[in-house]
Each structure stands twice: as C-alpha cells, then as structure tokens.
PDB file of all heavy atoms in Angstrom:
ATOM      1  N   ARG A   1       1.512 -40.959  26.245  1.00 92.00           N
ATOM      2  CA  ARG A   1       2.979 -40.721  26.164  1.00 92.00           C
ATOM      3  C   ARG A   1       3.388 -40.248  24.731  1.00 92.00           C
ATOM      4  O   ARG A   1       4.301 -39.375  24.582  1.00 92.00           O
ATOM      5  CB  ARG A   1       3.726 -42.017  26.516  1.00 92.00           C
ATOM      6  CG  ARG A   1       5.222 -41.838  26.644  1.00 92.00           C
ATOM      7  CD  ARG A   1       5.889 -43.156  26.888  1.00 92.00           C
ATOM      8  NE  ARG A   1       5.626 -44.094  25.848  1.00 92.00           N
ATOM      9  CZ  ARG A   1       6.185 -45.406  25.830  1.00 92.00           C
ATOM     10  NH1 ARG A   1       6.860 -45.777  26.843  1.00 92.00           N
ATOM     11  NH2 ARG A   1       5.897 -46.177  24.874  1.00 92.00           N
ATOM     12  N   GLY A   2       2.704 -40.801  23.754  1.00 88.00           N
ATOM     13  CA  GLY A   2       3.009 -40.294  22.362  1.00 88.00           C
ATOM     14  C   GLY A   2       2.563 -38.883  22.127  1.00 88.00           C
ATOM     15  O   GLY A   2       3.038 -38.241  21.052  1.00 88.00           O
ATOM     16  N   LEU A   3       1.706 -38.380  22.952  1.00 86.00           N
ATOM     17  CA  LEU A   3       1.259 -37.093  22.735  1.00 86.00           C
ATOM     18  C   LEU A   3       1.955 -35.961  23.571  1.00 86.00           C
ATOM     19  O   LEU A   3       1.687 -34.776  23.298  1.00 86.00           O
ATOM     20  CB  LEU A   3      -0.307 -36.885  23.123  1.00 86.00           C
ATOM     21  CG  LEU A   3      -1.205 -37.840  22.427  1.00 86.00           C
ATOM     22  CD1 LEU A   3      -2.650 -37.686  23.082  1.00 86.00           C
ATOM     23  CD2 LEU A   3      -1.344 -37.564  20.986  1.00 86.00           C
ATOM     24  N   ILE A   4       2.824 -36.375  24.501  1.00 90.00           N
ATOM     25  CA  ILE A   4       3.348 -35.394  25.486  1.00 90.00           C
ATOM     26  C   ILE A   4       4.119 -34.315  24.878  1.00 90.00           C
ATOM     27  O   ILE A   4       4.159 -33.197  25.432  1.00 90.00           O
ATOM     28  CB  ILE A   4       4.189 -36.200  26.496  1.00 90.00           C
ATOM     29  CG1 ILE A   4       4.453 -35.452  27.771  1.00 90.00           C
ATOM     30  CG2 ILE A   4       5.509 -36.570  25.903  1.00 90.00           C
ATOM     31  CD1 ILE A   4       3.164 -35.409  28.620  1.00 90.00           C
ATOM     32  N   HIS A   5       4.730 -34.425  23.773  1.00 90.00           N
ATOM     33  CA  HIS A   5       5.507 -33.371  23.160  1.00 90.00           C
ATOM     34  C   HIS A   5       4.763 -32.737  21.993  1.00 90.00           C
ATOM     35  O   HIS A   5       5.334 -31.976  21.127  1.00 90.00           O
ATOM     36  CB  HIS A   5       6.845 -33.984  22.558  1.00 90.00           C
ATOM     37  CG  HIS A   5       6.613 -35.021  21.516  1.00 90.00           C
ATOM     38  ND1 HIS A   5       6.065 -36.288  21.843  1.00 90.00           N
ATOM     39  CD2 HIS A   5       7.011 -35.156  20.267  1.00 90.00           C
ATOM     40  CE1 HIS A   5       6.157 -36.998  20.890  1.00 90.00           C
ATOM     41  NE2 HIS A   5       6.620 -36.431  19.821  1.00 90.00           N
ATOM     42  N   TYR A   6       3.401 -32.967  22.003  1.00 88.00           N
ATOM     43  CA  TYR A   6       2.569 -32.270  20.962  1.00 88.00           C
ATOM     44  C   TYR A   6       3.013 -32.571  19.525  1.00 88.00           C
ATOM     45  O   TYR A   6       3.432 -31.650  18.741  1.00 88.00           O
ATOM     46  CB  TYR A   6       2.385 -30.824  21.175  1.00 88.00           C
ATOM     47  CG  TYR A   6       1.817 -30.317  22.366  1.00 88.00           C
ATOM     48  CD1 TYR A   6       1.927 -29.101  22.912  1.00 88.00           C
ATOM     49  CD2 TYR A   6       1.018 -31.252  23.209  1.00 88.00           C
ATOM     50  CE1 TYR A   6       1.362 -28.640  24.033  1.00 88.00           C
ATOM     51  CE2 TYR A   6       0.455 -30.811  24.424  1.00 88.00           C
ATOM     52  CZ  TYR A   6       0.637 -29.521  24.786  1.00 88.00           C
ATOM     53  OH  TYR A   6      -0.014 -29.180  26.038  1.00 88.00           O
ATOM     54  N   PRO A   7       3.049 -33.841  19.084  1.00 92.00           N
ATOM     55  CA  PRO A   7       3.647 -34.059  17.780  1.00 92.00           C
ATOM     56  C   PRO A   7       2.728 -33.599  16.638  1.00 92.00           C
ATOM     57  O   PRO A   7       1.463 -33.483  16.875  1.00 92.00           O
ATOM     58  CB  PRO A   7       3.635 -35.694  17.758  1.00 92.00           C
ATOM     59  CG  PRO A   7       2.558 -36.129  18.637  1.00 92.00           C
ATOM     60  CD  PRO A   7       2.616 -35.055  19.830  1.00 92.00           C
ATOM     61  N   LYS A   8       3.277 -33.307  15.494  1.00 93.00           N
ATOM     62  CA  LYS A   8       2.475 -32.945  14.318  1.00 93.00           C
ATOM     63  C   LYS A   8       1.926 -34.178  13.659  1.00 93.00           C
ATOM     64  O   LYS A   8       0.896 -34.126  13.043  1.00 93.00           O
ATOM     65  CB  LYS A   8       3.341 -32.122  13.352  1.00 93.00           C
ATOM     66  CG  LYS A   8       3.707 -30.774  13.904  1.00 93.00           C
ATOM     67  CD  LYS A   8       4.439 -29.944  12.796  1.00 93.00           C
ATOM     68  CE  LYS A   8       4.751 -28.526  13.297  1.00 93.00           C
ATOM     69  NZ  LYS A   8       5.537 -27.747  12.306  1.00 93.00           N
ATOM     70  N   VAL A   9       2.679 -35.289  13.696  1.00 96.00           N
ATOM     71  CA  VAL A   9       2.294 -36.467  13.012  1.00 96.00           C
ATOM     72  C   VAL A   9       2.359 -37.667  14.032  1.00 96.00           C
ATOM     73  O   VAL A   9       3.458 -37.795  14.736  1.00 96.00           O
ATOM     74  CB  VAL A   9       3.090 -36.842  11.871  1.00 96.00           C
ATOM     75  CG1 VAL A   9       2.663 -38.093  11.120  1.00 96.00           C
ATOM     76  CG2 VAL A   9       3.166 -35.691  10.898  1.00 96.00           C
ATOM     77  N   LEU A  10       1.265 -38.388  14.079  1.00 94.00           N
ATOM     78  CA  LEU A  10       1.217 -39.528  15.138  1.00 94.00           C
ATOM     79  C   LEU A  10       1.166 -40.911  14.282  1.00 94.00           C
ATOM     80  O   LEU A  10       0.239 -40.985  13.473  1.00 94.00           O
ATOM     81  CB  LEU A  10       0.161 -39.365  16.026  1.00 94.00           C
ATOM     82  CG  LEU A  10      -0.102 -40.505  17.166  1.00 94.00           C
ATOM     83  CD1 LEU A  10       1.096 -40.537  18.066  1.00 94.00           C
ATOM     84  CD2 LEU A  10      -1.429 -40.300  17.839  1.00 94.00           C
ATOM     85  N   PHE A  11       2.022 -41.729  14.576  1.00 95.00           N
ATOM     86  CA  PHE A  11       1.975 -43.127  13.951  1.00 95.00           C
ATOM     87  C   PHE A  11       1.503 -44.129  14.939  1.00 95.00           C
ATOM     88  O   PHE A  11       1.911 -44.257  16.111  1.00 95.00           O
ATOM     89  CB  PHE A  11       3.460 -43.456  13.523  1.00 95.00           C
ATOM     90  CG  PHE A  11       3.982 -42.716  12.416  1.00 95.00           C
ATOM     91  CD1 PHE A  11       4.738 -41.573  12.660  1.00 95.00           C
ATOM     92  CD2 PHE A  11       3.649 -43.004  11.063  1.00 95.00           C
ATOM     93  CE1 PHE A  11       5.253 -40.788  11.632  1.00 95.00           C
ATOM     94  CE2 PHE A  11       4.214 -42.226  10.035  1.00 95.00           C
ATOM     95  CZ  PHE A  11       4.990 -41.116  10.308  1.00 95.00           C
ATOM     96  N   LEU A  12       0.425 -44.777  14.585  1.00 92.00           N
ATOM     97  CA  LEU A  12      -0.157 -45.867  15.410  1.00 92.00           C
ATOM     98  C   LEU A  12      -0.064 -47.210  14.722  1.00 92.00           C
ATOM     99  O   LEU A  12      -0.786 -47.396  13.678  1.00 92.00           O
ATOM    100  CB  LEU A  12      -1.657 -45.515  15.634  1.00 92.00           C
ATOM    101  CG  LEU A  12      -2.055 -44.154  16.271  1.00 92.00           C
ATOM    102  CD1 LEU A  12      -3.477 -43.978  16.338  1.00 92.00           C
ATOM    103  CD2 LEU A  12      -1.388 -44.136  17.652  1.00 92.00           C
ATOM    104  N   ASP A  13       0.669 -48.097  15.307  1.00 88.00           N
ATOM    105  CA  ASP A  13       0.986 -49.390  14.633  1.00 88.00           C
ATOM    106  C   ASP A  13      -0.028 -50.406  15.508  1.00 88.00           C
ATOM    107  O   ASP A  13       0.401 -50.724  16.649  1.00 88.00           O
ATOM    108  CB  ASP A  13       2.540 -49.823  14.766  1.00 88.00           C
ATOM    109  CG  ASP A  13       2.713 -51.097  13.971  1.00 88.00           C
ATOM    110  OD1 ASP A  13       1.871 -51.476  13.155  1.00 88.00           O
ATOM    111  OD2 ASP A  13       3.834 -51.704  14.370  1.00 88.00           O
ATOM    112  N   GLU A  14      -0.954 -50.811  14.868  1.00 86.00           N
ATOM    113  CA  GLU A  14      -1.862 -51.768  15.478  1.00 86.00           C
ATOM    114  C   GLU A  14      -2.383 -51.318  16.877  1.00 86.00           C
ATOM    115  O   GLU A  14      -2.076 -52.042  17.874  1.00 86.00           O
ATOM    116  CB  GLU A  14      -1.300 -53.171  15.568  1.00 86.00           C
ATOM    117  CG  GLU A  14      -0.805 -53.749  14.226  1.00 86.00           C
ATOM    118  CD  GLU A  14      -1.933 -54.310  13.367  1.00 86.00           C
ATOM    119  OE1 GLU A  14      -3.062 -54.261  13.856  1.00 86.00           O
ATOM    120  OE2 GLU A  14      -1.699 -54.876  12.286  1.00 86.00           O
ATOM    121  N   PRO A  15      -2.955 -50.101  16.942  1.00 86.00           N
ATOM    122  CA  PRO A  15      -3.268 -49.508  18.331  1.00 86.00           C
ATOM    123  C   PRO A  15      -4.202 -50.270  19.155  1.00 86.00           C
ATOM    124  O   PRO A  15      -4.113 -50.091  20.398  1.00 86.00           O
ATOM    125  CB  PRO A  15      -3.826 -48.119  17.926  1.00 86.00           C
ATOM    126  CG  PRO A  15      -4.422 -48.304  16.630  1.00 86.00           C
ATOM    127  CD  PRO A  15      -3.505 -49.303  15.912  1.00 86.00           C
ATOM    128  N   THR A  16      -4.985 -51.144  18.658  1.00 86.00           N
ATOM    129  CA  THR A  16      -5.980 -51.900  19.478  1.00 86.00           C
ATOM    130  C   THR A  16      -5.757 -53.383  19.450  1.00 86.00           C
ATOM    131  O   THR A  16      -6.600 -54.189  19.826  1.00 86.00           O
ATOM    132  CB  THR A  16      -7.432 -51.578  19.054  1.00 86.00           C
ATOM    133  OG1 THR A  16      -7.629 -51.984  17.739  1.00 86.00           O
ATOM    134  CG2 THR A  16      -7.638 -50.134  19.149  1.00 86.00           C
ATOM    135  N   LEU A  17      -4.550 -53.842  18.980  1.00 81.00           N
ATOM    136  CA  LEU A  17      -4.272 -55.296  18.851  1.00 81.00           C
ATOM    137  C   LEU A  17      -4.386 -55.961  20.267  1.00 81.00           C
ATOM    138  O   LEU A  17      -3.847 -55.541  21.260  1.00 81.00           O
ATOM    139  CB  LEU A  17      -2.764 -55.523  18.454  1.00 81.00           C
ATOM    140  CG  LEU A  17      -2.380 -56.843  18.073  1.00 81.00           C
ATOM    141  CD1 LEU A  17      -3.142 -57.463  16.882  1.00 81.00           C
ATOM    142  CD2 LEU A  17      -0.880 -57.000  17.867  1.00 81.00           C
ATOM    143  N   GLY A  18      -5.213 -56.984  20.299  1.00 79.00           N
ATOM    144  CA  GLY A  18      -5.391 -57.803  21.476  1.00 79.00           C
ATOM    145  C   GLY A  18      -6.435 -57.258  22.455  1.00 79.00           C
ATOM    146  O   GLY A  18      -6.631 -57.966  23.458  1.00 79.00           O
ATOM    147  N   LEU A  19      -7.019 -56.145  22.207  1.00 82.00           N
ATOM    148  CA  LEU A  19      -7.979 -55.560  23.170  1.00 82.00           C
ATOM    149  C   LEU A  19      -9.365 -56.071  22.885  1.00 82.00           C
ATOM    150  O   LEU A  19      -9.717 -56.445  21.728  1.00 82.00           O
ATOM    151  CB  LEU A  19      -7.946 -53.967  22.958  1.00 82.00           C
ATOM    152  CG  LEU A  19      -6.612 -53.327  23.347  1.00 82.00           C
ATOM    153  CD1 LEU A  19      -6.816 -51.803  23.172  1.00 82.00           C
ATOM    154  CD2 LEU A  19      -6.047 -53.721  24.736  1.00 82.00           C
ATOM    155  N   ASP A  20     -10.179 -56.119  23.943  1.00 84.00           N
ATOM    156  CA  ASP A  20     -11.646 -56.551  23.705  1.00 84.00           C
ATOM    157  C   ASP A  20     -12.333 -55.487  22.912  1.00 84.00           C
ATOM    158  O   ASP A  20     -11.931 -54.346  22.788  1.00 84.00           O
ATOM    159  CB  ASP A  20     -12.271 -56.785  25.023  1.00 84.00           C
ATOM    160  CG  ASP A  20     -12.370 -55.605  25.933  1.00 84.00           C
ATOM    161  OD1 ASP A  20     -13.263 -54.757  25.740  1.00 84.00           O
ATOM    162  OD2 ASP A  20     -11.428 -55.417  26.771  1.00 84.00           O
ATOM    163  N   ALA A  21     -13.583 -55.874  22.433  1.00 87.00           N
ATOM    164  CA  ALA A  21     -14.243 -54.941  21.517  1.00 87.00           C
ATOM    165  C   ALA A  21     -14.683 -53.619  22.173  1.00 87.00           C
ATOM    166  O   ALA A  21     -14.636 -52.613  21.622  1.00 87.00           O
ATOM    167  CB  ALA A  21     -15.536 -55.670  21.029  1.00 87.00           C
ATOM    168  N   GLN A  22     -15.049 -53.751  23.454  1.00 86.00           N
ATOM    169  CA  GLN A  22     -15.494 -52.471  24.209  1.00 86.00           C
ATOM    170  C   GLN A  22     -14.279 -51.526  24.296  1.00 86.00           C
ATOM    171  O   GLN A  22     -14.435 -50.308  24.131  1.00 86.00           O
ATOM    172  CB  GLN A  22     -16.129 -52.821  25.612  1.00 86.00           C
ATOM    173  CG  GLN A  22     -16.631 -51.609  26.256  1.00 86.00           C
ATOM    174  CD  GLN A  22     -17.272 -52.023  27.574  1.00 86.00           C
ATOM    175  OE1 GLN A  22     -17.139 -53.139  28.129  1.00 86.00           O
ATOM    176  NE2 GLN A  22     -17.944 -51.094  28.179  1.00 86.00           N
ATOM    177  N   THR A  23     -13.164 -52.037  24.738  1.00 83.00           N
ATOM    178  CA  THR A  23     -11.958 -51.177  24.857  1.00 83.00           C
ATOM    179  C   THR A  23     -11.507 -50.692  23.492  1.00 83.00           C
ATOM    180  O   THR A  23     -11.103 -49.480  23.469  1.00 83.00           O
ATOM    181  CB  THR A  23     -10.801 -51.999  25.554  1.00 83.00           C
ATOM    182  OG1 THR A  23     -11.238 -52.574  26.738  1.00 83.00           O
ATOM    183  CG2 THR A  23      -9.708 -51.136  25.821  1.00 83.00           C
ATOM    184  N   ARG A  24     -11.652 -51.476  22.571  1.00 86.00           N
ATOM    185  CA  ARG A  24     -11.312 -50.993  21.154  1.00 86.00           C
ATOM    186  C   ARG A  24     -12.086 -49.723  20.783  1.00 86.00           C
ATOM    187  O   ARG A  24     -11.519 -48.787  20.310  1.00 86.00           O
ATOM    188  CB  ARG A  24     -11.477 -52.003  20.080  1.00 86.00           C
ATOM    189  CG  ARG A  24     -10.316 -52.976  19.936  1.00 86.00           C
ATOM    190  CD  ARG A  24     -10.213 -53.588  18.541  1.00 86.00           C
ATOM    191  NE  ARG A  24     -11.477 -54.138  18.037  1.00 86.00           N
ATOM    192  CZ  ARG A  24     -11.939 -55.362  18.220  1.00 86.00           C
ATOM    193  NH1 ARG A  24     -11.195 -56.203  18.852  1.00 86.00           N
ATOM    194  NH2 ARG A  24     -13.061 -55.753  17.629  1.00 86.00           N
ATOM    195  N   ARG A  25     -13.344 -49.831  21.088  1.00 89.00           N
ATOM    196  CA  ARG A  25     -14.196 -48.697  20.785  1.00 89.00           C
ATOM    197  C   ARG A  25     -13.826 -47.355  21.455  1.00 89.00           C
ATOM    198  O   ARG A  25     -13.838 -46.326  20.932  1.00 89.00           O
ATOM    199  CB  ARG A  25     -15.708 -49.060  21.068  1.00 89.00           C
ATOM    200  CG  ARG A  25     -16.340 -49.850  20.029  1.00 89.00           C
ATOM    201  CD  ARG A  25     -16.738 -49.127  18.882  1.00 89.00           C
ATOM    202  NE  ARG A  25     -17.468 -49.923  17.833  1.00 89.00           N
ATOM    203  CZ  ARG A  25     -17.893 -49.450  16.696  1.00 89.00           C
ATOM    204  NH1 ARG A  25     -17.908 -48.090  16.429  1.00 89.00           N
ATOM    205  NH2 ARG A  25     -18.458 -50.234  15.777  1.00 89.00           N
ATOM    206  N   LYS A  26     -13.426 -47.478  22.745  1.00 86.00           N
ATOM    207  CA  LYS A  26     -12.986 -46.403  23.555  1.00 86.00           C
ATOM    208  C   LYS A  26     -11.634 -45.810  22.899  1.00 86.00           C
ATOM    209  O   LYS A  26     -11.530 -44.649  22.853  1.00 86.00           O
ATOM    210  CB  LYS A  26     -12.692 -46.783  24.944  1.00 86.00           C
ATOM    211  CG  LYS A  26     -14.042 -47.127  25.764  1.00 86.00           C
ATOM    212  CD  LYS A  26     -13.684 -47.391  27.230  1.00 86.00           C
ATOM    213  CE  LYS A  26     -14.955 -47.709  28.012  1.00 86.00           C
ATOM    214  NZ  LYS A  26     -14.693 -48.221  29.355  1.00 86.00           N
ATOM    215  N   ILE A  27     -10.780 -46.660  22.480  1.00 87.00           N
ATOM    216  CA  ILE A  27      -9.515 -46.203  21.906  1.00 87.00           C
ATOM    217  C   ILE A  27      -9.895 -45.490  20.569  1.00 87.00           C
ATOM    218  O   ILE A  27      -9.248 -44.410  20.262  1.00 87.00           O
ATOM    219  CB  ILE A  27      -8.516 -47.330  21.650  1.00 87.00           C
ATOM    220  CG1 ILE A  27      -8.124 -48.061  22.952  1.00 87.00           C
ATOM    221  CG2 ILE A  27      -7.400 -46.932  20.868  1.00 87.00           C
ATOM    222  CD1 ILE A  27      -7.293 -47.136  23.858  1.00 87.00           C
ATOM    223  N   TRP A  28     -10.811 -46.046  19.819  1.00 91.00           N
ATOM    224  CA  TRP A  28     -11.181 -45.386  18.646  1.00 91.00           C
ATOM    225  C   TRP A  28     -11.647 -43.887  18.860  1.00 91.00           C
ATOM    226  O   TRP A  28     -11.377 -42.960  18.118  1.00 91.00           O
ATOM    227  CB  TRP A  28     -12.381 -46.107  17.847  1.00 91.00           C
ATOM    228  CG  TRP A  28     -12.019 -47.418  17.346  1.00 91.00           C
ATOM    229  CD1 TRP A  28     -10.739 -48.028  17.441  1.00 91.00           C
ATOM    230  CD2 TRP A  28     -12.817 -48.354  16.730  1.00 91.00           C
ATOM    231  NE1 TRP A  28     -10.814 -49.259  16.825  1.00 91.00           N
ATOM    232  CE2 TRP A  28     -12.096 -49.531  16.444  1.00 91.00           C
ATOM    233  CE3 TRP A  28     -14.198 -48.381  16.370  1.00 91.00           C
ATOM    234  CZ2 TRP A  28     -12.683 -50.579  15.766  1.00 91.00           C
ATOM    235  CZ3 TRP A  28     -14.769 -49.510  15.784  1.00 91.00           C
ATOM    236  CH2 TRP A  28     -14.042 -50.601  15.435  1.00 91.00           C
ATOM    237  N   ASP A  29     -12.375 -43.747  19.925  1.00 90.00           N
ATOM    238  CA  ASP A  29     -12.909 -42.369  20.327  1.00 90.00           C
ATOM    239  C   ASP A  29     -11.789 -41.461  20.636  1.00 90.00           C
ATOM    240  O   ASP A  29     -11.747 -40.292  20.277  1.00 90.00           O
ATOM    241  CB  ASP A  29     -13.877 -42.494  21.418  1.00 90.00           C
ATOM    242  CG  ASP A  29     -15.214 -43.105  21.029  1.00 90.00           C
ATOM    243  OD1 ASP A  29     -15.575 -43.177  19.875  1.00 90.00           O
ATOM    244  OD2 ASP A  29     -15.968 -43.652  21.907  1.00 90.00           O
ATOM    245  N   TYR A  30     -10.770 -42.031  21.345  1.00 87.00           N
ATOM    246  CA  TYR A  30      -9.604 -41.221  21.716  1.00 87.00           C
ATOM    247  C   TYR A  30      -8.817 -40.806  20.411  1.00 87.00           C
ATOM    248  O   TYR A  30      -8.413 -39.581  20.323  1.00 87.00           O
ATOM    249  CB  TYR A  30      -8.629 -41.935  22.604  1.00 87.00           C
ATOM    250  CG  TYR A  30      -9.214 -42.198  23.959  1.00 87.00           C
ATOM    251  CD1 TYR A  30      -9.212 -43.568  24.522  1.00 87.00           C
ATOM    252  CD2 TYR A  30      -9.813 -41.249  24.739  1.00 87.00           C
ATOM    253  CE1 TYR A  30      -9.707 -43.841  25.651  1.00 87.00           C
ATOM    254  CE2 TYR A  30     -10.338 -41.527  25.986  1.00 87.00           C
ATOM    255  CZ  TYR A  30     -10.225 -42.806  26.525  1.00 87.00           C
ATOM    256  OH  TYR A  30     -10.804 -43.085  27.766  1.00 87.00           O
ATOM    257  N   ILE A  31      -8.724 -41.699  19.525  1.00 91.00           N
ATOM    258  CA  ILE A  31      -7.995 -41.440  18.321  1.00 91.00           C
ATOM    259  C   ILE A  31      -8.689 -40.332  17.521  1.00 91.00           C
ATOM    260  O   ILE A  31      -8.034 -39.369  16.980  1.00 91.00           O
ATOM    261  CB  ILE A  31      -7.793 -42.640  17.484  1.00 91.00           C
ATOM    262  CG1 ILE A  31      -6.834 -43.599  18.170  1.00 91.00           C
ATOM    263  CG2 ILE A  31      -7.264 -42.372  16.004  1.00 91.00           C
ATOM    264  CD1 ILE A  31      -6.708 -44.967  17.536  1.00 91.00           C
ATOM    265  N   ARG A  32      -9.945 -40.445  17.403  1.00 92.00           N
ATOM    266  CA  ARG A  32     -10.802 -39.394  16.699  1.00 92.00           C
ATOM    267  C   ARG A  32     -10.729 -38.049  17.353  1.00 92.00           C
ATOM    268  O   ARG A  32     -10.609 -37.079  16.689  1.00 92.00           O
ATOM    269  CB  ARG A  32     -12.235 -39.863  16.624  1.00 92.00           C
ATOM    270  CG  ARG A  32     -12.542 -40.725  15.345  1.00 92.00           C
ATOM    271  CD  ARG A  32     -14.131 -40.672  15.134  1.00 92.00           C
ATOM    272  NE  ARG A  32     -14.350 -41.141  13.751  1.00 92.00           N
ATOM    273  CZ  ARG A  32     -15.648 -41.354  13.335  1.00 92.00           C
ATOM    274  NH1 ARG A  32     -16.623 -41.266  14.211  1.00 92.00           N
ATOM    275  NH2 ARG A  32     -15.894 -41.739  12.107  1.00 92.00           N
ATOM    276  N   PHE A  33     -10.722 -38.088  18.631  1.00 89.00           N
ATOM    277  CA  PHE A  33     -10.574 -36.778  19.504  1.00 89.00           C
ATOM    278  C   PHE A  33      -9.254 -36.144  19.146  1.00 89.00           C
ATOM    279  O   PHE A  33      -9.238 -34.973  18.844  1.00 89.00           O
ATOM    280  CB  PHE A  33     -10.741 -37.085  20.930  1.00 89.00           C
ATOM    281  CG  PHE A  33     -10.524 -35.888  21.806  1.00 89.00           C
ATOM    282  CD1 PHE A  33     -11.607 -34.980  22.034  1.00 89.00           C
ATOM    283  CD2 PHE A  33      -9.258 -35.695  22.334  1.00 89.00           C
ATOM    284  CE1 PHE A  33     -11.314 -33.858  22.814  1.00 89.00           C
ATOM    285  CE2 PHE A  33      -9.058 -34.550  23.198  1.00 89.00           C
ATOM    286  CZ  PHE A  33     -10.033 -33.651  23.360  1.00 89.00           C
ATOM    287  N   LEU A  34      -8.196 -36.852  19.166  1.00 87.00           N
ATOM    288  CA  LEU A  34      -6.882 -36.342  18.948  1.00 87.00           C
ATOM    289  C   LEU A  34      -6.884 -35.744  17.474  1.00 87.00           C
ATOM    290  O   LEU A  34      -6.347 -34.586  17.262  1.00 87.00           O
ATOM    291  CB  LEU A  34      -5.857 -37.385  19.015  1.00 87.00           C
ATOM    292  CG  LEU A  34      -5.646 -38.142  20.360  1.00 87.00           C
ATOM    293  CD1 LEU A  34      -4.585 -39.203  20.239  1.00 87.00           C
ATOM    294  CD2 LEU A  34      -5.250 -37.173  21.401  1.00 87.00           C
ATOM    295  N   ASN A  35      -7.340 -36.511  16.605  1.00 92.00           N
ATOM    296  CA  ASN A  35      -7.374 -35.981  15.141  1.00 92.00           C
ATOM    297  C   ASN A  35      -8.109 -34.736  15.027  1.00 92.00           C
ATOM    298  O   ASN A  35      -7.657 -33.724  14.318  1.00 92.00           O
ATOM    299  CB  ASN A  35      -7.933 -37.112  14.265  1.00 92.00           C
ATOM    300  CG  ASN A  35      -8.005 -36.654  12.819  1.00 92.00           C
ATOM    301  OD1 ASN A  35      -9.112 -36.638  12.215  1.00 92.00           O
ATOM    302  ND2 ASN A  35      -7.036 -36.323  12.192  1.00 92.00           N
ATOM    303  N   ILE A  36      -9.336 -34.640  15.577  1.00 91.00           N
ATOM    304  CA  ILE A  36     -10.188 -33.444  15.442  1.00 91.00           C
ATOM    305  C   ILE A  36      -9.719 -32.293  16.342  1.00 91.00           C
ATOM    306  O   ILE A  36      -9.624 -31.215  15.806  1.00 91.00           O
ATOM    307  CB  ILE A  36     -11.663 -33.821  15.767  1.00 91.00           C
ATOM    308  CG1 ILE A  36     -12.131 -34.832  14.741  1.00 91.00           C
ATOM    309  CG2 ILE A  36     -12.485 -32.623  15.713  1.00 91.00           C
ATOM    310  CD1 ILE A  36     -13.529 -35.443  15.043  1.00 91.00           C
ATOM    311  N   HIS A  37      -9.519 -32.577  17.643  1.00 86.00           N
ATOM    312  CA  HIS A  37      -9.179 -31.513  18.571  1.00 86.00           C
ATOM    313  C   HIS A  37      -7.853 -30.930  18.308  1.00 86.00           C
ATOM    314  O   HIS A  37      -7.679 -29.656  18.413  1.00 86.00           O
ATOM    315  CB  HIS A  37      -9.306 -32.115  20.053  1.00 86.00           C
ATOM    316  CG  HIS A  37      -9.084 -31.031  21.036  1.00 86.00           C
ATOM    317  ND1 HIS A  37      -9.987 -30.067  21.328  1.00 86.00           N
ATOM    318  CD2 HIS A  37      -8.017 -30.771  21.860  1.00 86.00           C
ATOM    319  CE1 HIS A  37      -9.587 -29.247  22.267  1.00 86.00           C
ATOM    320  NE2 HIS A  37      -8.386 -29.675  22.636  1.00 86.00           N
ATOM    321  N   TYR A  38      -6.893 -31.707  17.967  1.00 84.00           N
ATOM    322  CA  TYR A  38      -5.484 -31.258  17.871  1.00 84.00           C
ATOM    323  C   TYR A  38      -5.146 -30.963  16.420  1.00 84.00           C
ATOM    324  O   TYR A  38      -4.012 -30.592  16.130  1.00 84.00           O
ATOM    325  CB  TYR A  38      -4.466 -32.192  18.476  1.00 84.00           C
ATOM    326  CG  TYR A  38      -4.577 -32.186  20.066  1.00 84.00           C
ATOM    327  CD1 TYR A  38      -5.261 -33.295  20.699  1.00 84.00           C
ATOM    328  CD2 TYR A  38      -3.824 -31.341  20.809  1.00 84.00           C
ATOM    329  CE1 TYR A  38      -5.341 -33.220  22.057  1.00 84.00           C
ATOM    330  CE2 TYR A  38      -3.894 -31.318  22.141  1.00 84.00           C
ATOM    331  CZ  TYR A  38      -4.642 -32.318  22.795  1.00 84.00           C
ATOM    332  OH  TYR A  38      -4.777 -32.356  24.155  1.00 84.00           O
ATOM    333  N   LYS A  39      -6.025 -31.344  15.515  1.00 89.00           N
ATOM    334  CA  LYS A  39      -5.735 -31.181  14.086  1.00 89.00           C
ATOM    335  C   LYS A  39      -4.536 -32.021  13.713  1.00 89.00           C
ATOM    336  O   LYS A  39      -3.548 -31.741  12.844  1.00 89.00           O
ATOM    337  CB  LYS A  39      -5.517 -29.698  13.631  1.00 89.00           C
ATOM    338  CG  LYS A  39      -6.643 -28.774  14.055  1.00 89.00           C
ATOM    339  CD  LYS A  39      -7.869 -29.109  13.360  1.00 89.00           C
ATOM    340  CE  LYS A  39      -8.849 -28.063  13.701  1.00 89.00           C
ATOM    341  NZ  LYS A  39     -10.290 -28.407  13.224  1.00 89.00           N
TER     342      LYS A  39
END
C-alpha cells in the first residue's frame, strides 16, 4: 500500500515489529528489493 503511488521516499517505522524470524527475513528481502529495483 505504501508503494502504490510510487513514492520517492519511503518511511518504515519498525517494519518487522512482532514478526517471527523467518517472516522478518522475508520482509528484509522485500525492503532491499524496493531500494535496489526502484532506486
């Protein structure tokens, strides 16, 4: 939802708070993808 309007700057406040370790790692991969793919 935060990406739907193609923002130039994305603010993530505790993006993996309360998630298990495996899910946190997946979220990390998504965050890295956004940073690299969308600059």
Side-chain angles (χ1 to χ4, degrees):
R1 188 181 61 180
L3 301 176
I4 200 72
H5 59 295
Y6 297 164
K8 290 184 177 180
V9 182
L10 180 64
F11 293 92
L12 301 176
D13 186 19
E14 304 281 2
T16 63
L17 185 67
L19 301 180
D20 62 84
Q22 184 178 11
T23 304
R24 276 210 308 270
R25 282 282 178 175
K26 290 181 179 178
I27 297 295
W28 294 357
D29 290 339
Y30 294 129
I31 293 171
R32 270 196 162 176
F33 175 81
L34 299 175
N35 176 241
I36 295 170
H37 183 75
Y38 290 98
K39 308 295 184 189

